[in-house]
Amino acid sequence: MKAKVHVTLKNGVLDPQGKAVQHTLASLGFDGVDNVRQGKYIELDLLETDADKARAQVDAMCRQLLANTVIENYSIEITD
Amino acid sequence: MKAKVHVTLKNGVLDPQGKAVQHTLASLGFDGVDNVRQGKYIELDLLETDADKARAQVDAMCRQLLANTVIENYSIEITD
């Protein structure tokens, strides 16, 4: 199975990387950008063939390594 | 409008960050992970209200700043 994981900063947490992108876009002439938030996108190929077990595995991975749950949210999508 | 942009390394391009994640997952006991690829996920809030124009704008942003099109692919999703 494949897992697609999005890790994003929680609302209210400052995102200096996003702000830097926004300012650079403005300096390039893209002035219609109100806000930018940057997160991580992780694709995993799993040997597990059961979708529920795969999701539970990836959830544990997110909590232990992929996301800092103090300041980040994560979402998991499981596909074949 | 909102734009969601995924920037991922092209196939065949080495992904040391993904390999590091894979090895760390293995050392944590997650041994059913065949491959890991890490990319970027960017959310933009745009003042533009026309979906086609918004997509064209974000496409230009990707080519000029957000993605290195030599080694990276990008995909754009426009929502309200």
Side-chain angles (χ1 to χ4, degrees):
Chain A
M1 315 229 53
K2 279 180 181 283
K4 297 177 180 179
V5 177
H6 288 89
V7 179
T8 51
L9 284 169
K10 290 184 179 175
N11 283 333
V13 178
L14 280 179
D15 182 359
Q17 202 174 8
K19 283 284 171 234
V21 169
Q22 186 178 349
H23 290 146
T24 310
L25 285 172
S27 73
L28 288 170
F30 297 107
D31 42 15
V33 182
D34 200 32
N35 195 24
V36 179
R37 305 280 286 175
Q38 182 161 345
K40 286 182 286 186
Y41 172 63
I42 304 158
E43 285 180 349
L44 303 112
D45 293 344
L46 304 170
L47 302 179
E48 181 62 58
T49 52
D50 180 88
D52 289 340
K53 285 185 190 165
R55 180 177 295 275
Q57 263 184 19
V58 176
D59 193 73
M61 291 176 199
C62 286
R63 280 183 279 108
Q64 288 183 48
L65 180 72
L66 303 178
N68 175 354
T69 54
V70 177
I71 56 168
E72 291 173 326
N73 291 322
Y74 60 87
S75 67
I76 300 167
E77 192 184 326
I78 303 283
T79 57
D80 282 328
Chain B
M1 315 228 59
K2 279 179 181 285
K4 296 177 181 181
V5 177
H6 287 89
V7 179
T8 50
L9 284 168
K10 289 184 179 175
N11 284 333
V13 178
L14 279 180
D15 181 0
Q17 202 174 9
K19 283 282 171 237
V21 169
Q22 186 178 351
H23 289 146
T24 309
L25 286 172
S27 73
L28 287 171
F30 297 105
D31 42 14
V33 182
D34 201 32
N35 195 25
V36 179
R37 305 280 285 174
Q38 182 160 344
K40 285 181 287 186
Y41 172 63
I42 304 158
E43 286 181 348
L44 303 111
D45 293 343
L46 304 169
L47 301 178
E48 181 62 59
T49 52
D50 181 89
D52 288 341
K53 285 184 190 164
R55 181 177 294 276
Q57 264 184 18
V58 176
D59 192 73
M61 292 175 199
C62 286
R63 279 182 279 106
Q64 288 183 48
L65 180 72
L66 303 179
N68 175 354
T69 54
V70 177
I71 57 167
E72 291 174 327
N73 290 323
Y74 61 87
S75 67
I76 299 167
E77 191 185 326
I78 302 285
T79 56
D80 282 328

PDB file of all heavy atoms in Angstrom, chain A residues 29-58:
ATOM      1  N   GLY A  29       6.796  40.218  -7.895  1.00  0.00           N
ATOM      2  CA  GLY A  29       5.664  40.850  -8.562  1.00  0.00           C
ATOM      3  C   GLY A  29       4.338  40.149  -8.334  1.00  0.00           C
ATOM      4  O   GLY A  29       3.306  40.599  -8.840  1.00  0.00           O
ATOM      5  N   PHE A  30       4.346  39.059  -7.578  1.00  0.00           N
ATOM      6  CA  PHE A  30       3.086  38.372  -7.265  1.00  0.00           C
ATOM      7  C   PHE A  30       2.500  39.019  -6.008  1.00  0.00           C
ATOM      8  O   PHE A  30       2.762  38.592  -4.887  1.00  0.00           O
ATOM      9  CB  PHE A  30       3.324  36.881  -7.015  1.00  0.00           C
ATOM     10  CG  PHE A  30       3.848  36.141  -8.211  1.00  0.00           C
ATOM     11  CD1 PHE A  30       5.164  35.728  -8.272  1.00  0.00           C
ATOM     12  CD2 PHE A  30       3.007  35.847  -9.276  1.00  0.00           C
ATOM     13  CE1 PHE A  30       5.649  35.042  -9.372  1.00  0.00           C
ATOM     14  CE2 PHE A  30       3.483  35.150 -10.384  1.00  0.00           C
ATOM     15  CZ  PHE A  30       4.807  34.757 -10.428  1.00  0.00           C
ATOM     16  N   ASP A  31       1.700  40.078  -6.206  1.00  0.00           N
ATOM     17  CA  ASP A  31       1.231  40.816  -5.040  1.00  0.00           C
ATOM     18  C   ASP A  31      -0.169  40.414  -4.597  1.00  0.00           C
ATOM     19  O   ASP A  31      -0.722  40.987  -3.669  1.00  0.00           O
ATOM     20  CB  ASP A  31       1.324  42.331  -5.268  1.00  0.00           C
ATOM     21  CG  ASP A  31       0.862  42.701  -6.660  1.00  0.00           C
ATOM     22  OD1 ASP A  31       0.224  41.838  -7.297  1.00  0.00           O
ATOM     23  OD2 ASP A  31       1.128  43.823  -7.104  1.00  0.00           O
ATOM     24  N   GLY A  32      -0.752  39.433  -5.236  1.00  0.00           N
ATOM     25  CA  GLY A  32      -2.095  38.997  -4.843  1.00  0.00           C
ATOM     26  C   GLY A  32      -2.084  37.806  -3.899  1.00  0.00           C
ATOM     27  O   GLY A  32      -3.042  37.049  -3.845  1.00  0.00           O
ATOM     28  N   VAL A  33      -0.986  37.656  -3.157  1.00  0.00           N
ATOM     29  CA  VAL A  33      -0.882  36.509  -2.254  1.00  0.00           C
ATOM     30  C   VAL A  33      -1.099  36.983  -0.824  1.00  0.00           C
ATOM     31  O   VAL A  33      -0.342  37.797  -0.296  1.00  0.00           O
ATOM     32  CB  VAL A  33       0.500  35.836  -2.374  1.00  0.00           C
ATOM     33  CG1 VAL A  33       0.567  34.621  -1.459  1.00  0.00           C
ATOM     34  CG2 VAL A  33       0.766  35.438  -3.812  1.00  0.00           C
ATOM     35  N   ASP A  34      -2.157  36.482  -0.201  1.00  0.00           N
ATOM     36  CA  ASP A  34      -2.557  36.970   1.113  1.00  0.00           C
ATOM     37  C   ASP A  34      -1.798  36.256   2.224  1.00  0.00           C
ATOM     38  O   ASP A  34      -1.460  36.842   3.239  1.00  0.00           O
ATOM     39  CB  ASP A  34      -4.059  36.726   1.275  1.00  0.00           C
ATOM     40  CG  ASP A  34      -4.640  37.601   2.352  1.00  0.00           C
ATOM     41  OD1 ASP A  34      -4.132  38.731   2.516  1.00  0.00           O
ATOM     42  OD2 ASP A  34      -5.585  37.167   3.032  1.00  0.00           O
ATOM     43  N   ASN A  35      -1.538  34.972   2.049  1.00  0.00           N
ATOM     44  CA  ASN A  35      -0.889  34.210   3.104  1.00  0.00           C
ATOM     45  C   ASN A  35      -0.274  32.945   2.489  1.00  0.00           C
ATOM     46  O   ASN A  35      -0.809  32.402   1.527  1.00  0.00           O
ATOM     47  CB  ASN A  35      -1.911  33.812   4.189  1.00  0.00           C
ATOM     48  CG  ASN A  35      -1.235  33.342   5.457  1.00  0.00           C
ATOM     49  OD1 ASN A  35      -0.088  33.691   5.726  1.00  0.00           O
ATOM     50  ND2 ASN A  35      -1.928  32.516   6.225  1.00  0.00           N
ATOM     51  N   VAL A  36       0.837  32.507   3.047  1.00  0.00           N
ATOM     52  CA  VAL A  36       1.480  31.279   2.583  1.00  0.00           C
ATOM     53  C   VAL A  36       1.837  30.439   3.811  1.00  0.00           C
ATOM     54  O   VAL A  36       2.364  30.967   4.794  1.00  0.00           O
ATOM     55  CB  VAL A  36       2.779  31.579   1.789  1.00  0.00           C
ATOM     56  CG1 VAL A  36       3.441  30.281   1.348  1.00  0.00           C
ATOM     57  CG2 VAL A  36       2.490  32.458   0.588  1.00  0.00           C
ATOM     58  N   ARG A  37       1.502  29.168   3.765  1.00  0.00           N
ATOM     59  CA  ARG A  37       1.912  28.243   4.831  1.00  0.00           C
ATOM     60  C   ARG A  37       2.628  27.091   4.154  1.00  0.00           C
ATOM     61  O   ARG A  37       2.147  26.545   3.157  1.00  0.00           O
ATOM     62  CB  ARG A  37       0.701  27.678   5.584  1.00  0.00           C
ATOM     63  CG  ARG A  37      -0.229  28.701   6.171  1.00  0.00           C
ATOM     64  CD  ARG A  37       0.225  29.284   7.468  1.00  0.00           C
ATOM     65  NE  ARG A  37       0.096  28.391   8.606  1.00  0.00           N
ATOM     66  CZ  ARG A  37       0.534  28.710   9.825  1.00  0.00           C
ATOM     67  NH1 ARG A  37       1.117  29.868  10.045  1.00  0.00           N
ATOM     68  NH2 ARG A  37       0.392  27.865  10.820  1.00  0.00           N
ATOM     69  N   GLN A  38       3.783  26.728   4.679  1.00  0.00           N
ATOM     70  CA  GLN A  38       4.521  25.629   4.061  1.00  0.00           C
ATOM     71  C   GLN A  38       4.565  24.436   4.996  1.00  0.00           C
ATOM     72  O   GLN A  38       4.835  24.563   6.192  1.00  0.00           O
ATOM     73  CB  GLN A  38       5.944  26.074   3.692  1.00  0.00           C
ATOM     74  CG  GLN A  38       6.698  24.932   3.011  1.00  0.00           C
ATOM     75  CD  GLN A  38       7.890  25.378   2.213  1.00  0.00           C
ATOM     76  OE1 GLN A  38       8.053  26.544   1.903  1.00  0.00           O
ATOM     77  NE2 GLN A  38       8.740  24.438   1.864  1.00  0.00           N
ATOM     78  N   GLY A  39       4.301  23.274   4.444  1.00  0.00           N
ATOM     79  CA  GLY A  39       4.348  22.050   5.229  1.00  0.00           C
ATOM     80  C   GLY A  39       5.159  20.993   4.513  1.00  0.00           C
ATOM     81  O   GLY A  39       5.843  21.260   3.517  1.00  0.00           O
ATOM     82  N   LYS A  40       5.089  19.780   5.032  1.00  0.00           N
ATOM     83  CA  LYS A  40       5.831  18.669   4.445  1.00  0.00           C
ATOM     84  C   LYS A  40       4.853  17.676   3.823  1.00  0.00           C
ATOM     85  O   LYS A  40       3.717  17.540   4.268  1.00  0.00           O
ATOM     86  CB  LYS A  40       6.644  17.948   5.530  1.00  0.00           C
ATOM     87  CG  LYS A  40       7.846  18.704   5.990  1.00  0.00           C
ATOM     88  CD  LYS A  40       8.628  17.936   7.023  1.00  0.00           C
ATOM     89  CE  LYS A  40       7.920  17.938   8.359  1.00  0.00           C
ATOM     90  NZ  LYS A  40       8.714  17.315   9.436  1.00  0.00           N
ATOM     91  N   TYR A  41       5.323  17.015   2.805  1.00  0.00           N
ATOM     92  CA  TYR A  41       4.529  15.995   2.124  1.00  0.00           C
ATOM     93  C   TYR A  41       5.407  14.763   2.000  1.00  0.00           C
ATOM     94  O   TYR A  41       6.501  14.835   1.435  1.00  0.00           O
ATOM     95  CB  TYR A  41       4.113  16.516   0.743  1.00  0.00           C
ATOM     96  CG  TYR A  41       3.450  15.497  -0.126  1.00  0.00           C
ATOM     97  CD1 TYR A  41       2.237  14.932   0.255  1.00  0.00           C
ATOM     98  CD2 TYR A  41       4.020  15.102  -1.324  1.00  0.00           C
ATOM     99  CE1 TYR A  41       1.620  13.990  -0.546  1.00  0.00           C
ATOM    100  CE2 TYR A  41       3.409  14.172  -2.135  1.00  0.00           C
ATOM    101  CZ  TYR A  41       2.210  13.617  -1.739  1.00  0.00           C
ATOM    102  OH  TYR A  41       1.605  12.683  -2.537  1.00  0.00           O
ATOM    103  N   ILE A  42       4.944  13.662   2.560  1.00  0.00           N
ATOM    104  CA  ILE A  42       5.760  12.455   2.604  1.00  0.00           C
ATOM    105  C   ILE A  42       4.995  11.294   1.981  1.00  0.00           C
ATOM    106  O   ILE A  42       3.842  11.041   2.341  1.00  0.00           O
ATOM    107  CB  ILE A  42       6.135  12.117   4.067  1.00  0.00           C
ATOM    108  CG1 ILE A  42       6.845  13.303   4.709  1.00  0.00           C
ATOM    109  CG2 ILE A  42       7.020  10.878   4.129  1.00  0.00           C
ATOM    110  CD1 ILE A  42       6.774  13.304   6.214  1.00  0.00           C
ATOM    111  N   GLU A  43       5.614  10.621   1.022  1.00  0.00           N
ATOM    112  CA  GLU A  43       5.021   9.428   0.420  1.00  0.00           C
ATOM    113  C   GLU A  43       5.766   8.201   0.913  1.00  0.00           C
ATOM    114  O   GLU A  43       7.006   8.160   0.838  1.00  0.00           O
ATOM    115  CB  GLU A  43       5.125   9.490  -1.111  1.00  0.00           C
ATOM    116  CG  GLU A  43       4.156  10.451  -1.761  1.00  0.00           C
ATOM    117  CD  GLU A  43       4.308  10.467  -3.280  1.00  0.00           C
ATOM    118  OE1 GLU A  43       5.305   9.895  -3.785  1.00  0.00           O
ATOM    119  OE2 GLU A  43       3.450  11.057  -3.936  1.00  0.00           O
ATOM    120  N   LEU A  44       5.030   7.227   1.417  1.00  0.00           N
ATOM    121  CA  LEU A  44       5.650   5.994   1.901  1.00  0.00           C
ATOM    122  C   LEU A  44       5.099   4.803   1.139  1.00  0.00           C
ATOM    123  O   LEU A  44       3.884   4.698   0.935  1.00  0.00           O
ATOM    124  CB  LEU A  44       5.357   5.797   3.392  1.00  0.00           C
ATOM    125  CG  LEU A  44       5.786   6.915   4.344  1.00  0.00           C
ATOM    126  CD1 LEU A  44       4.561   7.604   4.920  1.00  0.00           C
ATOM    127  CD2 LEU A  44       6.641   6.371   5.464  1.00  0.00           C
ATOM    128  N   ASP A  45       5.982   3.910   0.712  1.00  0.00           N
ATOM    129  CA  ASP A  45       5.570   2.620   0.148  1.00  0.00           C
ATOM    130  C   ASP A  45       5.646   1.592   1.267  1.00  0.00           C
ATOM    131  O   ASP A  45       6.716   1.402   1.852  1.00  0.00           O
ATOM    132  CB  ASP A  45       6.504   2.197  -0.991  1.00  0.00           C
ATOM    133  CG  ASP A  45       6.389   3.116  -2.187  1.00  0.00           C
ATOM    134  OD1 ASP A  45       5.400   3.866  -2.247  1.00  0.00           O
ATOM    135  OD2 ASP A  45       7.295   3.084  -3.041  1.00  0.00           O
ATOM    136  N   LEU A  46       4.521   0.948   1.551  1.00  0.00           N
ATOM    137  CA  LEU A  46       4.462   0.010   2.669  1.00  0.00           C
ATOM    138  C   LEU A  46       4.277  -1.408   2.170  1.00  0.00           C
ATOM    139  O   LEU A  46       3.597  -1.656   1.172  1.00  0.00           O
ATOM    140  CB  LEU A  46       3.279   0.370   3.581  1.00  0.00           C
ATOM    141  CG  LEU A  46       3.270   1.801   4.134  1.00  0.00           C
ATOM    142  CD1 LEU A  46       1.942   2.101   4.798  1.00  0.00           C
ATOM    143  CD2 LEU A  46       4.409   1.998   5.103  1.00  0.00           C
ATOM    144  N   LEU A  47       4.887  -2.362   2.881  1.00  0.00           N
ATOM    145  CA  LEU A  47       4.709  -3.772   2.539  1.00  0.00           C
ATOM    146  C   LEU A  47       3.348  -4.273   3.025  1.00  0.00           C
ATOM    147  O   LEU A  47       2.793  -5.217   2.466  1.00  0.00           O
ATOM    148  CB  LEU A  47       5.833  -4.610   3.169  1.00  0.00           C
ATOM    149  CG  LEU A  47       7.258  -4.211   2.755  1.00  0.00           C
ATOM    150  CD1 LEU A  47       8.285  -5.088   3.466  1.00  0.00           C
ATOM    151  CD2 LEU A  47       7.434  -4.327   1.240  1.00  0.00           C
ATOM    152  N   GLU A  48       2.804  -3.633   4.061  1.00  0.00           N
ATOM    153  CA  GLU A  48       1.501  -3.993   4.619  1.00  0.00           C
ATOM    154  C   GLU A  48       0.425  -3.948   3.524  1.00  0.00           C
ATOM    155  O   GLU A  48       0.400  -3.039   2.720  1.00  0.00           O
ATOM    156  CB  GLU A  48       1.155  -3.002   5.735  1.00  0.00           C
ATOM    157  CG  GLU A  48      -0.169  -3.242   6.442  1.00  0.00           C
ATOM    158  CD  GLU A  48      -0.218  -4.583   7.139  1.00  0.00           C
ATOM    159  OE1 GLU A  48       0.634  -4.817   7.992  1.00  0.00           O
ATOM    160  OE2 GLU A  48      -1.093  -5.398   6.779  1.00  0.00           O
ATOM    161  N   THR A  49      -0.461  -4.972   3.504  1.00  0.00           N
ATOM    162  CA  THR A  49      -1.488  -5.013   2.457  1.00  0.00           C
ATOM    163  C   THR A  49      -2.880  -4.690   2.988  1.00  0.00           C
ATOM    164  O   THR A  49      -3.821  -4.558   2.206  1.00  0.00           O
ATOM    165  CB  THR A  49      -1.535  -6.403   1.797  1.00  0.00           C
ATOM    166  OG1 THR A  49      -1.660  -7.382   2.830  1.00  0.00           O
ATOM    167  CG2 THR A  49      -0.276  -6.674   0.986  1.00  0.00           C
ATOM    168  N   ASP A  50      -3.023  -4.579   4.306  1.00  0.00           N
ATOM    169  CA  ASP A  50      -4.316  -4.250   4.891  1.00  0.00           C
ATOM    170  C   ASP A  50      -4.377  -2.742   5.169  1.00  0.00           C
ATOM    171  O   ASP A  50      -3.502  -2.187   5.837  1.00  0.00           O
ATOM    172  CB  ASP A  50      -4.505  -5.046   6.191  1.00  0.00           C
ATOM    173  CG  ASP A  50      -5.831  -4.751   6.861  1.00  0.00           C
ATOM    174  OD1 ASP A  50      -6.812  -5.427   6.532  1.00  0.00           O
ATOM    175  OD2 ASP A  50      -5.879  -3.824   7.701  1.00  0.00           O
ATOM    176  N   ALA A  51      -5.402  -2.071   4.637  1.00  0.00           N
ATOM    177  CA  ALA A  51      -5.462  -0.610   4.705  1.00  0.00           C
ATOM    178  C   ALA A  51      -5.542  -0.109   6.144  1.00  0.00           C
ATOM    179  O   ALA A  51      -4.878   0.871   6.504  1.00  0.00           O
ATOM    180  CB  ALA A  51      -6.658  -0.103   3.896  1.00  0.00           C
ATOM    181  N   ASP A  52      -6.343  -0.777   6.975  1.00  0.00           N
ATOM    182  CA  ASP A  52      -6.489  -0.320   8.363  1.00  0.00           C
ATOM    183  C   ASP A  52      -5.186  -0.460   9.134  1.00  0.00           C
ATOM    184  O   ASP A  52      -4.791   0.437   9.884  1.00  0.00           O
ATOM    185  CB  ASP A  52      -7.599  -1.112   9.073  1.00  0.00           C
ATOM    186  CG  ASP A  52      -8.980  -0.736   8.561  1.00  0.00           C
ATOM    187  OD1 ASP A  52      -9.093   0.368   7.973  1.00  0.00           O
ATOM    188  OD2 ASP A  52      -9.921  -1.522   8.722  1.00  0.00           O
ATOM    189  N   LYS A  53      -4.511  -1.606   8.932  1.00  0.00           N
ATOM    190  CA  LYS A  53      -3.235  -1.803   9.619  1.00  0.00           C
ATOM    191  C   LYS A  53      -2.199  -0.802   9.117  1.00  0.00           C
ATOM    192  O   LYS A  53      -1.395  -0.279   9.884  1.00  0.00           O
ATOM    193  CB  LYS A  53      -2.727  -3.231   9.389  1.00  0.00           C
ATOM    194  CG  LYS A  53      -3.475  -4.282  10.203  1.00  0.00           C
ATOM    195  CD  LYS A  53      -2.855  -5.661  10.030  1.00  0.00           C
ATOM    196  CE  LYS A  53      -3.746  -6.738  10.644  1.00  0.00           C
ATOM    197  NZ  LYS A  53      -3.357  -8.079  10.187  1.00  0.00           N
ATOM    198  N   ALA A  54      -2.225  -0.550   7.800  1.00  0.00           N
ATOM    199  CA  ALA A  54      -1.283   0.411   7.224  1.00  0.00           C
ATOM    200  C   ALA A  54      -1.500   1.785   7.843  1.00  0.00           C
ATOM    201  O   ALA A  54      -0.555   2.472   8.239  1.00  0.00           O
ATOM    202  CB  ALA A  54      -1.449   0.469   5.708  1.00  0.00           C
ATOM    203  N   ARG A  55      -2.783   2.173   7.976  1.00  0.00           N
ATOM    204  CA  ARG A  55      -3.081   3.489   8.547  1.00  0.00           C
ATOM    205  C   ARG A  55      -2.590   3.569  10.003  1.00  0.00           C
ATOM    206  O   ARG A  55      -2.026   4.581  10.426  1.00  0.00           O
ATOM    207  CB  ARG A  55      -4.587   3.770   8.477  1.00  0.00           C
ATOM    208  CG  ARG A  55      -4.990   5.119   9.047  1.00  0.00           C
ATOM    209  CD  ARG A  55      -6.480   5.368   8.877  1.00  0.00           C
ATOM    210  NE  ARG A  55      -6.841   5.472   7.473  1.00  0.00           N
ATOM    211  CZ  ARG A  55      -6.756   6.598   6.769  1.00  0.00           C
ATOM    212  NH1 ARG A  55      -6.352   7.707   7.350  1.00  0.00           N
ATOM    213  NH2 ARG A  55      -7.088   6.624   5.497  1.00  0.00           N
ATOM    214  N   ALA A  56      -2.805   2.491  10.766  1.00  0.00           N
ATOM    215  CA  ALA A  56      -2.362   2.492  12.160  1.00  0.00           C
ATOM    216  C   ALA A  56      -0.842   2.606  12.247  1.00  0.00           C
ATOM    217  O   ALA A  56      -0.302   3.342  13.082  1.00  0.00           O
ATOM    218  CB  ALA A  56      -2.844   1.210  12.848  1.00  0.00           C
ATOM    219  N   GLN A  57      -0.144   1.884  11.340  1.00  0.00           N
ATOM    220  CA  GLN A  57       1.326   1.965  11.299  1.00  0.00           C
ATOM    221  C   GLN A  57       1.788   3.388  11.020  1.00  0.00           C
ATOM    222  O   GLN A  57       2.659   3.928  11.706  1.00  0.00           O
ATOM    223  CB  GLN A  57       1.857   1.083  10.162  1.00  0.00           C
ATOM    224  CG  GLN A  57       2.315  -0.296  10.576  1.00  0.00           C
ATOM    225  CD  GLN A  57       2.913  -1.065   9.384  1.00  0.00           C
ATOM    226  OE1 GLN A  57       3.291  -0.476   8.377  1.00  0.00           O
ATOM    227  NE2 GLN A  57       2.972  -2.370   9.520  1.00  0.00           N
ATOM    228  N   VAL A  58       1.184   3.993   9.996  1.00  0.00           N
ATOM    229  CA  VAL A  58       1.625   5.329   9.590  1.00  0.00           C
ATOM    230  C   VAL A  58       1.280   6.349  10.676  1.00  0.00           C
ATOM    231  O   VAL A  58       2.036   7.293  10.926  1.00  0.00           O
ATOM    232  CB  VAL A  58       1.007   5.715   8.231  1.00  0.00           C
ATOM    233  CG1 VAL A  58       1.373   7.134   7.847  1.00  0.00           C
ATOM    234  CG2 VAL A  58       1.486   4.751   7.159  1.00  0.00           C
TER     235      VAL A  58
END
